[in-house]
Amino acid sequence: MTATTDYSPALTGLRGVAAVWVMLLHLWLLAVAPAVVVAGLDLTAVFSCGMLGVDLFFVLSGFLLGQPFLAWIDRRRLFPDLVTFFKRRCLRVLPPFYAQLLILTVGGYLVSGVWPIDFKQFLAYLSMEFLLYPDIGPLLNGVWWSLPVEWHFYLLLPLLAWLLFHARAWLVVTLIMVWVIAFRLLAYDRLYTGEPSDLIWWTTMMHLPARLDQFVLGMLAAWAHLRRGPREPAWLPAAALLTGLAALAILVAELGRRGNVLDAADVPWMFFHWTLIGAPMALIVYGAAAGGRLATALFAGPVLAFLGRISYSLYLWHGIVFVLAYRTGFSQWPPAAGLLRLGLWLTPAVILVSWLSYRLTERPFLRPAADRRAPAPEAPQPQAAASGRD
């Protein structure tokens, strides 16, 4: 038997981990970036590296969304219907984003009497291409920067699957790795020459052309998961999970010591650190998807399952709650000052707002669980395996 693409509780839990990790970073910054020492163990890097939660989201997207296309490449199902694929992506991503855009736009006007964005900026947000609009200004919500990165991956994924089907996988992956490193070099060059082009400038280091490798690493993990067979050692997924966790812990410690490698233009780390981060995360996702005692114990508990379900809304709304706490002076109020006390006060508010957003703007558009778990239509079995996909 081969692995299926059924729902995995551990992967839902990992989504909760990703969202909470980003939230911890912003909570730490709201508390003025204190040292975090617990029982003599310095955990500051865990908080300061919270933006790696976004990297985990990218790897998870590559894993989950890539599976149907990879199953097609392996002749296990028909090619995914692209109309259905893009419809589901729109229904999954746009309603919570549009609802927040409307709330922040109207709320900003009601508070200040001035519209926070103009009509062109509003249209740019609606198109999900706002990062390409040169006059977009400061984002209404800082975490929105990652949404177009995901969106562009959705658009690219069918073409990427086509390339993997028609060419050797190792060649496609190698060319992608060369591309992302070359793009990072070009962005770095624009920073120091002061000659940005229309498509490449320093800030595009954060966008899909420089981050595609993390999605692809997630896809490779999905491919390995799909091809699991009875001869694979039962301990392999758990070993991959432990190896990924250990490697990620080492990277977090190192990145915590170095600080933000992009802000510091830390050469050569800035050219390959996203690849280094994505690799252990892909191992973690592969190990978690297989289930087993370890993955279930770490990521499939009821708390992480709940946080995973509301993870998108949690990602969108936690920063808004924190900004309100800062602007109202609540974060400086003595009974709430400090990382622990801020967490105790603000976390319930974040969870409540995120849950309401999930119930009102996400859940109505989600497919029923039975539909999500329905098997994909089988493809006609070929007489011989297709070549060019090793």
Side-chain angles (χ1 to χ4, degrees):
M1 294 180 60
T2 56
T4 68
T5 58
D6 286 345
Y7 168 77
S8 170
L11 294 186
T12 299
L14 272 178
R15 289 171 53 198
V17 170
V20 169
W21 203 0
V22 177
M23 185 185 78
L24 288 178
L25 166 65
H26 295 145
L27 181 66
W28 178 73
L29 292 174
L30 182 63
V32 201
V36 183
V37 180
V38 178
L41 182 63
D42 189 351
L43 299 178
T44 307
V46 175
F47 288 79
S48 66
C49 292
M51 196 51 67
L52 299 189
V54 178
D55 302 72
L56 182 53
F57 274 129
F58 290 164
V59 174
L60 281 166
S61 290
F63 184 95
L64 295 169
L65 299 180
Q67 283 194 57
F69 294 93
L70 297 170
W72 164 73
I73 292 174
D74 282 349
R75 305 290 183 100
R76 304 182 188 206
R77 59 161 290 161
L78 299 176
F79 188 79
D81 181 75
L82 293 184
V83 173
T84 301
F85 172 76
F86 287 116
K87 177 183 176 181
R88 289 174 178 169
R89 289 298 89 208
C90 288
L91 291 176
R92 184 70 184 93
V93 173
L94 296 181
F97 171 62
Y98 284 169
Q100 188 176 66
L101 173 63
L102 183 63
I103 291 170
L104 295 183
T105 301
V106 175
Y109 175 77
L110 293 176
V111 170
S112 66
V114 178
W115 291 105
I117 54 175
D118 60 33
F119 185 66
K120 290 183 179 179
Q121 291 171 326
F122 186 74
L123 292 179
Y125 280 122
L126 290 180
S127 72
M128 195 60 84
E129 298 293 345
F130 51 88
L131 292 181
L132 298 178
Y133 181 53
D135 298 322
I136 194 62
L139 299 182
L140 292 181
N141 185 348
V143 302
W144 284 358
W145 71 267
S146 67
L147 301 185
V149 181
E150 286 263 358
W151 190 258
H152 292 153
F153 174 68
Y154 303 158
L155 299 177
L156 184 63
L157 180 56
L159 175 60
L160 188 57
W162 185 87
L163 289 174
L164 288 170
F165 181 83
H166 289 283
R168 294 190 179 276
W170 68 265
L171 178 61
V172 175
V173 172
T174 300
L175 290 175
I176 288 172
M177 296 302 176
V178 171
W179 162 262
V180 295
I181 293 176
F183 192 92
R184 293 164 190 166
L185 286 166
L186 284 172
Y188 177 77
D189 178 69
R190 294 298 185 269
L191 172 67
Y192 283 99
T193 62
E195 299 176 358
S197 69
D198 291 336
L199 295 177
I200 301 175
W201 59 96
W202 174 241
T203 55
T204 54
M205 183 83 79
M206 300 290 289
H207 303 167
L208 185 66
R211 308 293 289 268
L212 182 58
D213 52 342
Q214 294 186 324
F215 293 95
V216 170
L217 287 167
M219 292 178 67
L220 293 178
W223 217 344
H225 176 69
L226 287 170
R227 292 184 171 186
R228 287 180 59 222
R231 295 184 179 181
E232 179 180 279
W235 51 262
L236 186 59
L241 178 56
L242 287 173
T243 302
L245 289 172
L248 184 60
I250 294 171
L251 283 171
V252 166
E254 178 62 22
L255 291 172
R257 184 183 67 84
R258 289 179 171 273
N260 191 313
V261 298
L262 291 185
D263 289 348
D266 189 350
V267 176
W269 271 78
M270 56 175 291
F271 300 132
F272 57 78
H273 79 287
W274 278 319
T275 308
L276 289 180
I277 293 164
M281 287 182 173
L283 289 175
I284 293 169
V285 171
Y286 168 77
R293 293 180 181 177
L294 180 62
T296 300
L298 290 176
F299 305 120
V303 173
L304 281 181
F306 170 75
L307 293 173
R309 284 194 298 273
I310 67 168
S311 58
Y312 182 33
S313 288
L314 179 61
Y315 179 73
L316 290 178
W317 281 103
H318 76 273
I320 302 302
V321 174
F322 291 170
V323 168
L324 289 175
Y326 176 77
R327 292 186 176 179
T328 58
F330 181 83
S331 60
Q332 291 84 43
W333 182 44
L339 180 62
L340 179 60
R341 281 175 287 182
L342 274 176
L344 292 174
W345 278 98
L346 296 180
T347 299
V350 170
I351 297 299
L352 177 59
V353 172
S354 302
W355 179 77
L356 289 172
S357 172
Y358 168 76
R359 289 299 299 265
L360 297 175
T361 67
E362 290 190 67
R363 188 171 177 178
F365 303 98
L366 295 177
R367 288 178 293 153
D371 184 26
R372 289 200 303 272
R373 296 172 187 175
E378 294 289 340
Q381 292 299 316
Q383 294 181 354
S387 60
R389 299 194 299 275
D390 295 331

